């Protein structure tokens, strides 16, 4: 995956972004990561920071099992209809060949905190609207 700039958009043709839920430990670690990534508008790190800003932070043991969180396995459907499997990880653990997607990629930042069944849309740097839907979450 390439590091394309993404931003959630607030346009009539795109639904309101779904709620985002993050456990306290992940929130603390990811906030520090977004800060260290020198957040510039339009970057995946800026997208992650924006998602964290709108997140509902809950105690780790209260995070629902169907929410995409760090190190949880998940399934999602990309805009082209292809079903994907992934594990959301920190950048050093990323390995596309093993389906380990960094939270500092556009797809990783988009997936964070979504519940199974939720869809999200955003506009990339070229103006194209991108979509994905979480179809399942496991441990």
């Amino acid at each position: 995956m390439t590091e394309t700039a993404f931003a959630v958009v607030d346009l009539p043709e795109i639904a309101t972004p779904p709620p985002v839920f993050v456990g306290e430990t992940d929130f603390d670690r990811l906030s520090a990561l977004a800060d260290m990534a020198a957040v510039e508008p339009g970057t995946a790190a800026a997208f992650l920071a924006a998602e964290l800003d709108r997140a509902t932070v809950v105690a780790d043991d209260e995070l629902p099992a169907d929410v995409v969180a760090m190190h949880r396995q998940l399934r999602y459907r990309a805009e082209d209809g292809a079903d994907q499997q992934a594990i959301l990880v920190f950048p050093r653990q990323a390995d596309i060949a093993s389906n380990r997607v960094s939270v500092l990629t556009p797809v990783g930042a988009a997936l964070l905190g979504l519940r199974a069944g939720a869809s999200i849309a955003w506009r990339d740097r070229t103006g194209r609207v991108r979509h994905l839907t979480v179809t399942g979450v496991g441990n």
Side-chain angles (χ1 to χ4, degrees):
M1 277 180 234
T2 60
E3 182 73 19
T4 305
F6 283 69
V8 173
V9 292
D10 185 21
L11 298 174
E13 72 269 16
I14 298 176
T16 302
V20 172
F21 302 92
V22 180
E24 291 173 330
T25 301
D26 282 350
F27 181 83
D28 291 342
R29 291 183 71 191
L30 293 170
S31 293
L33 180 64
D35 289 345
M36 288 178 11
V39 177
E40 293 181 30
T43 65
F47 182 37
L48 174 61
E51 291 297 272
L52 291 171
D53 284 346
R54 69 184 194 87
T56 299
V57 181
V58 299
D60 293 337
D61 60 351
E62 294 179 13
L63 188 67
D66 69 342
V67 170
V68 176
M70 300 305 294
H71 304 289
R72 283 191 179 167
Q73 293 194 12
L74 63 113
R75 293 179 313 280
Y76 69 95
R77 185 172 308 111
E79 62 195 357
D80 63 2
D83 289 322
Q84 307 286 328
Q85 291 188 24
I87 300 172
L88 194 60
V89 298
F90 290 93
R92 286 187 174 177
Q93 301 163 326
D95 178 6
I96 294 301
S98 299
N99 295 324
R100 299 173 67 84
V101 176
S102 170
V103 71
L104 272 184
T105 62
V107 169
L111 288 166
L112 178 69
L114 297 181
R115 293 189 93 147
S119 297
I120 191 166
W122 63 91
R123 190 175 299 280
D124 69 18
R125 184 179 297 164
T126 67
R128 181 173 176 202
V129 176
R130 305 279 182 148
H131 301 269
L132 62 79
T133 302
V134 176
T135 58
V137 180
N139 288 326

